PDB file of all heavy atoms in Angstrom:
ATOM      1  N   LEU M 398     106.776 167.653 114.057  1.00 51.00           N
ATOM      2  CA  LEU M 398     105.627 167.390 113.212  1.00 51.00           C
ATOM      3  C   LEU M 398     105.627 168.306 111.972  1.00 51.00           C
ATOM      4  O   LEU M 398     104.834 168.106 111.074  1.00 51.00           O
ATOM      5  CB  LEU M 398     104.338 167.623 114.027  1.00 51.00           C
ATOM      6  CG  LEU M 398     104.118 166.672 115.217  1.00 51.00           C
ATOM      7  CD1 LEU M 398     102.815 167.011 115.885  1.00 51.00           C
ATOM      8  CD2 LEU M 398     104.170 165.243 114.760  1.00 51.00           C
ATOM      9  N   ILE M 399     106.465 169.357 111.982  1.00 50.00           N
ATOM     10  CA  ILE M 399     106.500 170.244 110.822  1.00 50.00           C
ATOM     11  C   ILE M 399     107.953 170.304 110.332  1.00 50.00           C
ATOM     12  O   ILE M 399     108.507 171.357 110.070  1.00 50.00           O
ATOM     13  CB  ILE M 399     106.049 171.658 111.254  1.00 50.00           C
ATOM     14  CG1 ILE M 399     104.833 171.586 112.146  1.00 50.00           C
ATOM     15  CG2 ILE M 399     105.655 172.469 109.997  1.00 50.00           C
ATOM     16  CD1 ILE M 399     104.331 172.902 112.602  1.00 50.00           C
ATOM     17  N   SER M 400     108.576 169.128 110.237  1.00 48.00           N
ATOM     18  CA  SER M 400     109.943 169.047 109.780  1.00 48.00           C
ATOM     19  C   SER M 400     110.063 169.619 108.380  1.00 48.00           C
ATOM     20  O   SER M 400     109.184 169.439 107.552  1.00 48.00           O
ATOM     21  CB  SER M 400     110.416 167.589 109.844  1.00 48.00           C
ATOM     22  OG  SER M 400     111.648 167.450 109.243  1.00 48.00           O
ATOM     23  N   ALA M 401     111.195 170.276 108.129  1.00 43.00           N
ATOM     24  CA  ALA M 401     111.411 170.855 106.800  1.00 43.00           C
ATOM     25  C   ALA M 401     112.036 169.867 105.825  1.00 43.00           C
ATOM     26  O   ALA M 401     112.493 170.232 104.764  1.00 43.00           O
ATOM     27  CB  ALA M 401     112.303 172.120 106.937  1.00 43.00           C
ATOM     28  N   ASP M 402     112.100 168.596 106.202  1.00 46.00           N
ATOM     29  CA  ASP M 402     112.656 167.598 105.268  1.00 46.00           C
ATOM     30  C   ASP M 402     111.844 167.530 104.019  1.00 46.00           C
ATOM     31  O   ASP M 402     110.622 167.655 104.026  1.00 46.00           O
ATOM     32  CB  ASP M 402     112.674 166.220 105.969  1.00 46.00           C
ATOM     33  CG  ASP M 402     113.620 166.203 107.147  1.00 46.00           C
ATOM     34  OD1 ASP M 402     114.524 167.060 107.192  1.00 46.00           O
ATOM     35  OD2 ASP M 402     113.418 165.340 108.040  1.00 46.00           O
ATOM     36  N   ASN M 403     112.511 167.343 102.872  1.00 46.00           N
ATOM     37  CA  ASN M 403     111.816 167.306 101.613  1.00 46.00           C
ATOM     38  C   ASN M 403     111.082 165.975 101.400  1.00 46.00           C
ATOM     39  O   ASN M 403     110.102 165.918 100.675  1.00 46.00           O
ATOM     40  CB  ASN M 403     112.817 167.550 100.473  1.00 46.00           C
ATOM     41  CG  ASN M 403     113.324 168.954 100.462  1.00 46.00           C
ATOM     42  OD1 ASN M 403     112.630 169.869 100.811  1.00 46.00           O
ATOM     43  ND2 ASN M 403     114.576 169.102 100.063  1.00 46.00           N
ATOM     44  N   ASP M 404     111.601 164.899 102.009  1.00 55.00           N
ATOM     45  CA  ASP M 404     110.980 163.580 101.834  1.00 55.00           C
ATOM     46  C   ASP M 404     109.642 163.505 102.531  1.00 55.00           C
ATOM     47  O   ASP M 404     109.531 163.929 103.708  1.00 55.00           O
ATOM     48  CB  ASP M 404     111.915 162.500 102.350  1.00 55.00           C
ATOM     49  CG  ASP M 404     113.220 162.453 101.544  1.00 55.00           C
ATOM     50  OD1 ASP M 404     113.205 162.863 100.374  1.00 55.00           O
ATOM     51  OD2 ASP M 404     114.248 162.010 102.128  1.00 55.00           O
ATOM     52  N   LYS M 405     108.655 162.890 101.889  1.00 65.00           N
ATOM     53  CA  LYS M 405     107.355 162.720 102.483  1.00 65.00           C
ATOM     54  C   LYS M 405     107.438 161.657 103.586  1.00 65.00           C
ATOM     55  O   LYS M 405     108.064 160.629 103.428  1.00 65.00           O
ATOM     56  CB  LYS M 405     106.342 162.281 101.395  1.00 65.00           C
ATOM     57  CG  LYS M 405     105.880 163.417 100.492  1.00 65.00           C
ATOM     58  CD  LYS M 405     105.048 164.419 101.248  1.00 65.00           C
ATOM     59  CE  LYS M 405     104.492 165.459 100.290  1.00 65.00           C
ATOM     60  NZ  LYS M 405     103.684 166.475 100.978  1.00 65.00           N
ATOM     61  N   LEU M 406     106.759 161.942 104.689  1.00 76.00           N
ATOM     62  CA  LEU M 406     106.666 161.018 105.778  1.00 76.00           C
ATOM     63  C   LEU M 406     105.361 160.230 105.652  1.00 76.00           C
ATOM     64  O   LEU M 406     104.457 160.617 104.956  1.00 76.00           O
ATOM     65  CB  LEU M 406     106.721 161.740 107.110  1.00 76.00           C
ATOM     66  CG  LEU M 406     107.938 162.614 107.401  1.00 76.00           C
ATOM     67  CD1 LEU M 406     107.740 163.378 108.692  1.00 76.00           C
ATOM     68  CD2 LEU M 406     109.186 161.773 107.491  1.00 76.00           C
ATOM     69  N   THR M 407     105.296 159.103 106.372  1.00 82.00           N
ATOM     70  CA  THR M 407     104.019 158.384 106.493  1.00 82.00           C
ATOM     71  C   THR M 407     103.379 158.787 107.791  1.00 82.00           C
ATOM     72  O   THR M 407     104.035 159.346 108.703  1.00 82.00           O
ATOM     73  CB  THR M 407     104.251 156.883 106.462  1.00 82.00           C
ATOM     74  OG1 THR M 407     105.031 156.502 107.642  1.00 82.00           O
ATOM     75  CG2 THR M 407     105.024 156.471 105.225  1.00 82.00           C
ATOM     76  N   VAL M 408     102.068 158.525 107.907  1.00 82.00           N
ATOM     77  CA  VAL M 408     101.393 158.830 109.174  1.00 82.00           C
ATOM     78  C   VAL M 408     101.990 158.069 110.333  1.00 82.00           C
ATOM     79  O   VAL M 408     102.086 158.557 111.434  1.00 82.00           O
ATOM     80  CB  VAL M 408      99.871 158.533 109.019  1.00 82.00           C
ATOM     81  CG1 VAL M 408      99.140 158.709 110.354  1.00 82.00           C
ATOM     82  CG2 VAL M 408      99.247 159.390 107.929  1.00 82.00           C
ATOM     83  N   LYS M 409     102.428 156.839 110.077  1.00 82.00           N
ATOM     84  CA  LYS M 409     103.038 156.053 111.123  1.00 82.00           C
ATOM     85  C   LYS M 409     104.367 156.652 111.564  1.00 82.00           C
ATOM     86  O   LYS M 409     104.726 156.605 112.755  1.00 82.00           O
ATOM     87  CB  LYS M 409     103.257 154.598 110.637  1.00 82.00           C
ATOM     88  CG  LYS M 409     103.675 153.666 111.757  1.00 82.00           C
ATOM     89  CD  LYS M 409     103.646 152.209 111.326  1.00 82.00           C
ATOM     90  CE  LYS M 409     103.966 151.295 112.497  1.00 82.00           C
ATOM     91  NZ  LYS M 409     103.898 149.855 112.114  1.00 82.00           N
ATOM     92  N   ASP M 410     105.140 157.251 110.640  1.00 78.00           N
ATOM     93  CA  ASP M 410     106.369 157.908 111.004  1.00 78.00           C
ATOM     94  C   ASP M 410     106.088 159.055 111.973  1.00 78.00           C
ATOM     95  O   ASP M 410     106.804 159.221 112.977  1.00 78.00           O
ATOM     96  CB  ASP M 410     107.069 158.496 109.734  1.00 78.00           C
ATOM     97  CG  ASP M 410     107.595 157.414 108.845  1.00 78.00           C
ATOM     98  OD1 ASP M 410     107.891 156.296 109.319  1.00 78.00           O
ATOM     99  OD2 ASP M 410     107.716 157.650 107.630  1.00 78.00           O
ATOM    100  N   VAL M 411     105.082 159.832 111.715  1.00 76.00           N
ATOM    101  CA  VAL M 411     104.695 160.930 112.583  1.00 76.00           C
ATOM    102  C   VAL M 411     104.252 160.420 113.910  1.00 76.00           C
ATOM    103  O   VAL M 411     104.604 160.946 114.957  1.00 76.00           O
ATOM    104  CB  VAL M 411     103.640 161.816 111.909  1.00 76.00           C
ATOM    105  CG1 VAL M 411     103.214 162.953 112.864  1.00 76.00           C
ATOM    106  CG2 VAL M 411     104.144 162.382 110.602  1.00 76.00           C
ATOM    107  N   PHE M 412     103.453 159.349 113.903  1.00 78.00           N
ATOM    108  CA  PHE M 412     102.939 158.763 115.146  1.00 78.00           C
ATOM    109  C   PHE M 412     104.091 158.289 115.999  1.00 78.00           C
ATOM    110  O   PHE M 412     104.121 158.527 117.232  1.00 78.00           O
ATOM    111  CB  PHE M 412     101.990 157.613 114.782  1.00 78.00           C
ATOM    112  CG  PHE M 412     101.580 156.777 115.996  1.00 78.00           C
ATOM    113  CD1 PHE M 412     100.628 157.301 116.896  1.00 78.00           C
ATOM    114  CD2 PHE M 412     102.137 155.558 116.245  1.00 78.00           C
ATOM    115  CE1 PHE M 412     100.248 156.570 117.993  1.00 78.00           C
ATOM    116  CE2 PHE M 412     101.783 154.821 117.342  1.00 78.00           C
ATOM    117  CZ  PHE M 412     100.803 155.314 118.222  1.00 78.00           C
ATOM    118  N   ASN M 413     105.050 157.610 115.404  1.00 76.00           N
ATOM    119  CA  ASN M 413     106.181 157.095 116.178  1.00 76.00           C
ATOM    120  C   ASN M 413     107.013 158.218 116.761  1.00 76.00           C
ATOM    121  O   ASN M 413     107.582 158.118 117.853  1.00 76.00           O
ATOM    122  CB  ASN M 413     107.049 156.216 115.300  1.00 76.00           C
ATOM    123  CG  ASN M 413     106.371 154.918 114.945  1.00 76.00           C
ATOM    124  OD1 ASN M 413     105.518 154.431 115.696  1.00 76.00           O
ATOM    125  ND2 ASN M 413     106.748 154.339 113.774  1.00 76.00           N
ATOM    126  N   ALA M 414     107.136 159.366 116.036  1.00 69.00           N
ATOM    127  CA  ALA M 414     107.895 160.497 116.529  1.00 69.00           C
ATOM    128  C   ALA M 414     107.190 161.213 117.654  1.00 69.00           C
ATOM    129  O   ALA M 414     107.845 161.798 118.534  1.00 69.00           O
ATOM    130  CB  ALA M 414     108.175 161.481 115.377  1.00 69.00           C
ATOM    131  N   ALA M 415     105.855 161.187 117.673  1.00 68.00           N
ATOM    132  CA  ALA M 415     105.112 161.956 118.660  1.00 68.00           C
ATOM    133  C   ALA M 415     104.598 161.124 119.836  1.00 68.00           C
ATOM    134  O   ALA M 415     104.189 161.732 120.833  1.00 68.00           O
ATOM    135  CB  ALA M 415     103.916 162.635 117.962  1.00 68.00           C
ATOM    136  N   LYS M 416     104.628 159.810 119.755  1.00 64.00           N
ATOM    137  CA  LYS M 416     103.998 159.016 120.809  1.00 64.00           C
ATOM    138  C   LYS M 416     104.687 159.087 122.145  1.00 64.00           C
ATOM    139  O   LYS M 416     104.061 158.862 123.203  1.00 64.00           O
ATOM    140  CB  LYS M 416     103.893 157.574 120.346  1.00 64.00           C
ATOM    141  CG  LYS M 416     105.221 156.839 120.222  1.00 64.00           C
ATOM    142  CD  LYS M 416     105.028 155.415 119.759  1.00 64.00           C
ATOM    143  CE  LYS M 416     106.334 154.680 119.630  1.00 64.00           C
ATOM    144  NZ  LYS M 416     106.179 153.277 119.185  1.00 64.00           N
ATOM    145  N   ASP M 417     105.981 159.435 122.129  1.00 57.00           N
ATOM    146  CA  ASP M 417     106.718 159.535 123.393  1.00 57.00           C
ATOM    147  C   ASP M 417     106.661 160.909 124.018  1.00 57.00           C
ATOM    148  O   ASP M 417     107.300 161.146 125.059  1.00 57.00           O
ATOM    149  CB  ASP M 417     108.186 159.125 123.176  1.00 57.00           C
ATOM    150  CG  ASP M 417     108.334 157.682 122.710  1.00 57.00           C
ATOM    151  OD1 ASP M 417     107.488 156.863 123.124  1.00 57.00           O
ATOM    152  OD2 ASP M 417     109.263 157.399 121.928  1.00 57.00           O
ATOM    153  N   THR M 418     105.914 161.849 123.375  1.00 53.00           N
ATOM    154  CA  THR M 418     105.802 163.181 123.968  1.00 53.00           C
ATOM    155  C   THR M 418     105.000 163.095 125.266  1.00 53.00           C
ATOM    156  O   THR M 418     103.972 162.420 125.350  1.00 53.00           O
ATOM    157  CB  THR M 418     105.056 164.105 122.998  1.00 53.00           C
ATOM    158  OG1 THR M 418     105.753 164.088 121.742  1.00 53.00           O
ATOM    159  CG2 THR M 418     105.019 165.522 123.488  1.00 53.00           C
ATOM    160  N   ASP M 419     105.505 163.803 126.307  1.00 49.00           N
ATOM    161  CA  ASP M 419     104.941 163.659 127.639  1.00 49.00           C
ATOM    162  C   ASP M 419     103.478 164.092 127.737  1.00 49.00           C
ATOM    163  O   ASP M 419     102.706 163.437 128.444  1.00 49.00           O
ATOM    164  CB  ASP M 419     105.768 164.489 128.638  1.00 49.00           C
ATOM    165  CG  ASP M 419     107.168 163.922 128.812  1.00 49.00           C
ATOM    166  OD1 ASP M 419     107.367 162.717 128.513  1.00 49.00           O
ATOM    167  OD2 ASP M 419     108.084 164.688 129.184  1.00 49.00           O
ATOM    168  N   ASN M 420     103.103 165.176 127.057  1.00 55.00           N
ATOM    169  CA  ASN M 420     101.755 165.721 127.256  1.00 55.00           C
ATOM    170  C   ASN M 420     100.774 165.246 126.209  1.00 55.00           C
ATOM    171  O   ASN M 420      99.722 165.840 126.050  1.00 55.00           O
ATOM    172  CB  ASN M 420     101.804 167.251 127.272  1.00 55.00           C
ATOM    173  CG  ASN M 420     102.231 167.811 125.948  1.00 55.00           C
ATOM    174  OD1 ASN M 420     102.913 167.125 125.177  1.00 55.00           O
ATOM    175  ND2 ASN M 420     101.830 169.046 125.658  1.00 55.00           N
ATOM    176  N   ILE M 421     101.118 164.193 125.453  1.00 64.00           N
ATOM    177  CA  ILE M 421     100.207 163.685 124.389  1.00 64.00           C
ATOM    178  C   ILE M 421     100.000 162.182 124.598  1.00 64.00           C
ATOM    179  O   ILE M 421     100.977 161.432 124.713  1.00 64.00           O
ATOM    180  CB  ILE M 421     100.742 164.012 123.002  1.00 64.00           C
ATOM    181  CG1 ILE M 421     100.774 165.493 122.733  1.00 64.00           C
ATOM    182  CG2 ILE M 421      99.891 163.313 121.946  1.00 64.00           C
ATOM    183  CD1 ILE M 421     101.309 165.864 121.393  1.00 64.00           C
ATOM    184  N   ILE M 422      98.770 161.777 124.608  1.00 78.00           N
ATOM    185  CA  ILE M 422      98.393 160.324 124.553  1.00 78.00           C
ATOM    186  C   ILE M 422      97.841 160.084 123.155  1.00 78.00           C
ATOM    187  O   ILE M 422      96.938 160.815 122.739  1.00 78.00           O
ATOM    188  CB  ILE M 422      97.406 159.985 125.626  1.00 78.00           C
ATOM    189  CG1 ILE M 422      97.907 160.327 127.011  1.00 78.00           C
ATOM    190  CG2 ILE M 422      97.015 158.509 125.547  1.00 78.00           C
ATOM    191  CD1 ILE M 422      96.870 160.133 128.123  1.00 78.00           C
ATOM    192  N   SER M 423      98.358 159.103 122.443  1.00 82.00           N
ATOM    193  CA  SER M 423      97.912 158.891 121.092  1.00 82.00           C
ATOM    194  C   SER M 423      97.861 157.428 120.766  1.00 82.00           C
ATOM    195  O   SER M 423      98.473 156.626 121.437  1.00 82.00           O
ATOM    196  CB  SER M 423      98.866 159.618 120.080  1.00 82.00           C
ATOM    197  OG  SER M 423     100.172 159.110 120.226  1.00 82.00           O
ATOM    198  N   ARG M 424      97.094 157.126 119.735  1.00 87.00           N
ATOM    199  CA  ARG M 424      97.015 155.750 119.208  1.00 87.00           C
ATOM    200  C   ARG M 424      96.747 155.840 117.721  1.00 87.00           C
ATOM    201  O   ARG M 424      96.140 156.801 117.208  1.00 87.00           O
ATOM    202  CB  ARG M 424      95.960 154.942 119.927  1.00 87.00           C
ATOM    203  CG  ARG M 424      94.559 155.344 119.627  1.00 87.00           C
ATOM    204  CD  ARG M 424      93.515 154.472 120.373  1.00 87.00           C
ATOM    205  NE  ARG M 424      92.169 154.917 120.049  1.00 87.00           N
ATOM    206  CZ  ARG M 424      91.074 154.385 120.606  1.00 87.00           C
ATOM    207  NH1 ARG M 424      91.192 153.460 121.553  1.00 87.00           N
ATOM    208  NH2 ARG M 424      89.882 154.808 120.263  1.00 87.00           N
ATOM    209  N   LEU M 425      97.141 154.782 116.975  1.00 87.00           N
ATOM    210  CA  LEU M 425      97.012 154.769 115.529  1.00 87.00           C
ATOM    211  C   LEU M 425      96.272 153.497 115.118  1.00 87.00           C
ATOM    212  O   LEU M 425      96.681 152.401 115.454  1.00 87.00           O
ATOM    213  CB  LEU M 425      98.402 154.825 114.865  1.00 87.00           C
ATOM    214  CG  LEU M 425      98.383 154.947 113.338  1.00 87.00           C
ATOM    215  CD1 LEU M 425      97.842 156.307 112.907  1.00 87.00           C
ATOM    216  CD2 LEU M 425      99.812 154.778 112.800  1.00 87.00           C
ATOM    217  N   ASP M 426      95.156 153.704 114.407  1.00 88.00           N
ATOM    218  CA  ASP M 426      94.395 152.576 113.835  1.00 88.00           C
ATOM    219  C   ASP M 426      94.628 152.585 112.358  1.00 88.00           C
ATOM    220  O   ASP M 426      93.947 153.253 111.577  1.00 88.00           O
ATOM    221  CB  ASP M 426      92.900 152.795 114.151  1.00 88.00           C
ATOM    222  CG  ASP M 426      92.036 151.635 113.701  1.00 88.00           C
ATOM    223  OD1 ASP M 426      92.533 150.778 112.964  1.00 88.00           O
ATOM    224  OD2 ASP M 426      90.846 151.569 114.111  1.00 88.00           O
ATOM    225  N   GLU M 427      95.632 151.767 111.948  1.00 87.00           N
ATOM    226  CA  GLU M 427      96.017 151.726 110.537  1.00 87.00           C
ATOM    227  C   GLU M 427      94.971 151.025 109.660  1.00 87.00           C
ATOM    228  O   GLU M 427      94.822 151.357 108.470  1.00 87.00           O
ATOM    229  CB  GLU M 427      97.357 151.018 110.378  1.00 87.00           C
ATOM    230  CG  GLU M 427      98.525 151.716 111.048  1.00 87.00           C
ATOM    231  CD  GLU M 427      99.843 151.045 110.816  1.00 87.00           C
ATOM    232  OE1 GLU M 427     100.420 151.248 109.726  1.00 87.00           O
ATOM    233  OE2 GLU M 427     100.274 150.284 111.708  1.00 87.00           O
ATOM    234  N   GLU M 428      94.206 150.126 110.243  1.00 86.00           N
ATOM    235  CA  GLU M 428      93.200 149.412 109.467  1.00 86.00           C
ATOM    236  C   GLU M 428      92.035 150.314 109.082  1.00 86.00           C
ATOM    237  O   GLU M 428      91.614 150.349 107.925  1.00 86.00           O
ATOM    238  CB  GLU M 428      92.687 148.213 110.239  1.00 86.00           C
ATOM    239  CG  GLU M 428      91.628 147.396 109.487  1.00 86.00           C
ATOM    240  CD  GLU M 428      91.170 146.198 110.271  1.00 86.00           C
ATOM    241  OE1 GLU M 428      91.690 145.950 111.385  1.00 86.00           O
ATOM    242  OE2 GLU M 428      90.233 145.529 109.801  1.00 86.00           O
ATOM    243  N   ASN M 429      91.547 151.096 110.037  1.00 88.00           N
ATOM    244  CA  ASN M 429      90.385 151.983 109.811  1.00 88.00           C
ATOM    245  C   ASN M 429      90.803 153.404 109.531  1.00 88.00           C
ATOM    246  O   ASN M 429      89.931 154.306 109.364  1.00 88.00           O
ATOM    247  CB  ASN M 429      89.455 151.940 111.001  1.00 88.00           C
ATOM    248  CG  ASN M 429      88.878 150.568 111.259  1.00 88.00           C
ATOM    249  OD1 ASN M 429      88.300 149.971 110.331  1.00 88.00           O
ATOM    250  ND2 ASN M 429      89.008 150.071 112.488  1.00 88.00           N
ATOM    251  N   LYS M 430      92.107 153.705 109.525  1.00 87.00           N
ATOM    252  CA  LYS M 430      92.646 154.976 109.150  1.00 87.00           C
ATOM    253  C   LYS M 430      92.236 156.102 110.148  1.00 87.00           C
ATOM    254  O   LYS M 430      91.676 157.108 109.783  1.00 87.00           O
ATOM    255  CB  LYS M 430      92.251 155.394 107.766  1.00 87.00           C
ATOM    256  CG  LYS M 430      92.613 154.417 106.647  1.00 87.00           C
ATOM    257  CD  LYS M 430      94.123 154.239 106.541  1.00 87.00           C
ATOM    258  CE  LYS M 430      94.510 153.299 105.418  1.00 87.00           C
ATOM    259  NZ  LYS M 430      95.967 153.107 105.292  1.00 87.00           N
ATOM    260  N   PHE M 431      92.466 155.873 111.431  1.00 88.00           N
ATOM    261  CA  PHE M 431      92.219 156.856 112.482  1.00 88.00           C
ATOM    262  C   PHE M 431      93.483 157.170 113.242  1.00 88.00           C
ATOM    263  O   PHE M 431      94.230 156.239 113.632  1.00 88.00           O
ATOM    264  CB  PHE M 431      91.142 156.371 113.463  1.00 88.00           C
ATOM    265  CG  PHE M 431      89.742 156.345 112.888  1.00 88.00           C
ATOM    266  CD1 PHE M 431      89.030 155.158 112.855  1.00 88.00           C
ATOM    267  CD2 PHE M 431      89.172 157.493 112.409  1.00 88.00           C
ATOM    268  CE1 PHE M 431      87.735 155.141 112.338  1.00 88.00           C
ATOM    269  CE2 PHE M 431      87.891 157.501 111.887  1.00 88.00           C
ATOM    270  CZ  PHE M 431      87.172 156.309 111.842  1.00 88.00           C
ATOM    271  N   TYR M 432      93.742 158.460 113.449  1.00 86.00           N
ATOM    272  CA  TYR M 432      94.811 158.933 114.317  1.00 86.00           C
ATOM    273  C   TYR M 432      94.152 159.605 115.497  1.00 86.00           C
ATOM    274  O   TYR M 432      93.568 160.690 115.377  1.00 86.00           O
ATOM    275  CB  TYR M 432      95.732 159.894 113.543  1.00 86.00           C
ATOM    276  CG  TYR M 432      97.025 160.234 114.257  1.00 86.00           C
ATOM    277  CD1 TYR M 432      98.242 160.067 113.612  1.00 86.00           C
ATOM    278  CD2 TYR M 432      97.022 160.722 115.548  1.00 86.00           C
ATOM    279  CE1 TYR M 432      99.454 160.381 114.269  1.00 86.00           C
ATOM    280  CE2 TYR M 432      98.210 161.049 116.206  1.00 86.00           C
ATOM    281  CZ  TYR M 432      99.401 160.861 115.551  1.00 86.00           C
ATOM    282  OH  TYR M 432     100.599 161.186 116.177  1.00 86.00           O
ATOM    283  N   ASP M 433      94.215 158.996 116.648  1.00 86.00           N
ATOM    284  CA  ASP M 433      93.548 159.482 117.856  1.00 86.00           C
ATOM    285  C   ASP M 433      94.540 160.149 118.800  1.00 86.00           C
ATOM    286  O   ASP M 433      95.611 159.599 119.005  1.00 86.00           O
ATOM    287  CB  ASP M 433      92.842 158.335 118.591  1.00 86.00           C
ATOM    288  CG  ASP M 433      91.768 157.636 117.724  1.00 86.00           C
ATOM    289  OD1 ASP M 433      91.263 158.339 116.856  1.00 86.00           O
ATOM    290  OD2 ASP M 433      91.508 156.460 117.970  1.00 86.00           O
ATOM    291  N   ILE M 434      94.156 161.291 119.325  1.00 82.00           N
ATOM    292  CA  ILE M 434      94.998 162.001 120.279  1.00 82.00           C
ATOM    293  C   ILE M 434      94.176 162.430 121.470  1.00 82.00           C
ATOM    294  O   ILE M 434      92.976 162.682 121.382  1.00 82.00           O
ATOM    295  CB  ILE M 434      95.706 163.226 119.682  1.00 82.00           C
ATOM    296  CG1 ILE M 434      94.697 164.240 119.180  1.00 82.00           C
ATOM    297  CG2 ILE M 434      96.647 162.814 118.537  1.00 82.00           C
ATOM    298  CD1 ILE M 434      95.315 165.529 118.726  1.00 82.00           C
ATOM    299  N   GLN M 435      94.833 162.534 122.622  1.00 79.00           N
ATOM    300  CA  GLN M 435      94.189 163.016 123.827  1.00 79.00           C
ATOM    301  C   GLN M 435      95.272 163.654 124.697  1.00 79.00           C
ATOM    302  O   GLN M 435      96.108 162.956 125.242  1.00 79.00           O
ATOM    303  CB  GLN M 435      93.495 161.903 124.592  1.00 79.00           C
ATOM    304  CG  GLN M 435      92.823 162.366 125.860  1.00 79.00           C
ATOM    305  CD  GLN M 435      91.782 161.393 126.342  1.00 79.00           C
ATOM    306  OE1 GLN M 435      91.643 160.320 125.817  1.00 79.00           O
ATOM    307  NE2 GLN M 435      91.085 161.749 127.385  1.00 79.00           N
ATOM    308  N   THR M 436      95.272 164.988 124.759  1.00 64.00           N
ATOM    309  CA  THR M 436      96.287 165.649 125.571  1.00 64.00           C
ATOM    310  C   THR M 436      95.922 165.578 127.043  1.00 64.00           C
ATOM    311  O   THR M 436      94.739 165.586 127.397  1.00 64.00           O
ATOM    312  CB  THR M 436      96.419 167.129 125.131  1.00 64.00           C
ATOM    313  OG1 THR M 436      95.142 167.738 125.182  1.00 64.00           O
ATOM    314  CG2 THR M 436      96.955 167.231 123.724  1.00 64.00           C
ATOM    315  N   THR M 437      96.943 165.598 127.868  1.00 60.00           N
ATOM    316  CA  THR M 437      96.685 165.452 129.316  1.00 60.00           C
ATOM    317  C   THR M 437      95.980 166.624 129.939  1.00 60.00           C
ATOM    318  O   THR M 437      95.305 166.482 130.929  1.00 60.00           O
ATOM    319  CB  THR M 437      98.038 165.226 130.049  1.00 60.00           C
ATOM    320  OG1 THR M 437      98.897 166.320 129.733  1.00 60.00           O
ATOM    321  CG2 THR M 437      98.686 163.966 129.621  1.00 60.00           C
TER     322      THR M 437
END
């Protein structure tokens, strides 16, 4: 989530990278612009 890459990421890129993390439950509402998380 704090990659040192120079290229800007999108919120969806970050969501896709983090959604498979074991201790994080997340969902992305692109229409209403909400990033929801719930750790176990």
Side-chain angles (χ1 to χ4, degrees):
L398 297 181
I399 319 179
S400 172
D402 295 336
N403 291 326
D404 297 334
K405 285 290 185 182
L406 301 174
T407 65
V408 175
K409 190 170 184 178
D410 291 335
V411 177
F412 171 76
N413 291 333
K416 67 180 180 180
D417 297 328
T418 305
D419 293 337
N420 64 335
I421 295 179
I422 301 174
S423 60
R424 70 179 180 185
L425 186 66
D426 185 346
E427 295 183 82
E428 180 178 355
N429 297 308
K430 304 297 183 182
F431 287 121
Y432 191 126
D433 299 334
I434 62 173
Q435 180 162 5
T436 54
T437 55

